[in-house]
Amino acid sequence: MVGIIIASHGEFATGILQSGAMIFGEQENVKAVTLMPSEGPDDVRAKMEEAIASFDNQDEVLFLVDLWGGTPFNQASSLMEGHEDTWAIVAGLNLAMVIESYASRFSMNTAHEIAAHIIDTAKDAVKVKPEELEPEESAESASASSGASAGAPGSFDYVLARIDSRLLHGQVATSWTRSTSPTRIIVVSDTVAKDELRKKLIQQAAPSGIKAHTVPIQKMVELAKDDQHFGGQRALLLFENPQDVLRAIEGGVPLDTINVGSMSHSTGKVQPNKVLAFDQNDIDTFKKLKELGVDFDVRKVPADSYGNMDEILRRAQAELDRQK
């Protein structure tokens, strides 16, 4: 696995490392290196050397630094002498760059491959609102990209169906889209479909090159049976709750696996783990889904280990019973 050093002036590197872990999960062979006000170039070099020594594979190292020509960049460049064939440096550090480098390690084995791959993602993450302030060329390019795969014949390819009370947020827009490569993100919810503000926010939260839609459950059922309307698309479906999933499947949406990512706590619910909360209706709904042959993939992000849904539901039921 390629080792990654995130280096910056001040605590920026430490903070963005923490942010990356929140979105993509904790990562092995990744270290933050900071240049503090009381430190100099030799201190940064020593920290980088220590980080490299901790990596499983010291032949493949990628430096993500804040500024081209700054001290972290200069020290990384000095260390890279003699390793130019296998090490790489990318400057202009941002969170999208970090997340993309994590995702790239699943399919890329060299620092050079990852460095070349993450540049477009890092640039695409720089956007402005109001949209009319965007450079004209950038806006046209984004529009062309988002519509590139529309209208192909064939049926949906469901790359992920996820229950997440937060719907389209950072973990979905980065880690899950990188691991599943959808062409469409579809929020399936009667409630959200009636809320123009939430619909607009979901559209704006879509990653570059991916269209996001919000549809009522019955409309999703109709789309699932229509091989022409969105044919040939790789669809990532997002549901707020298991009840909406059950209605969709009973209506004919052909889902055999549901990723259970996040269910927020509210009055009357119990929380058997950090991210999932249930009431009796939730538990009964998951049992009905299981009876229909649905499998459950319990993970917040792709890098997480799989949770045991049967055990989670058992603990939730026991806690609800104790409260009666």
Side-chain angles (χ1 to χ4, degrees), residues 230-241:
F230 278 130
Q233 299 294 316
R234 294 172 55 82
L236 189 160
L237 305 188
L238 296 175
F239 298 87
E240 282 190 290
N241 55 64

Side-chain angles (χ1 to χ4, degrees), residues 156-162 167-168 172-173 175-188 210-211 213 220 233-239:
F156 270 126
D157 178 11
Y158 298 96
V159 297
L160 183 75
R162 176 179 173 90
L167 296 174
L168 181 51
V172 175
S175 59
W176 282 109
T177 57
R178 299 304 177 196
S179 66
T180 60
S181 301
T183 57
R184 303 264 178 176
I185 295 174
I186 305 176
V187 172
V188 186
I210 302 174
K211 283 191 174 181
H213 311 268
M220 187 66 234
Q233 299 294 316
R234 294 172 55 82
L236 189 160
L237 305 188
L238 296 175
F239 298 87

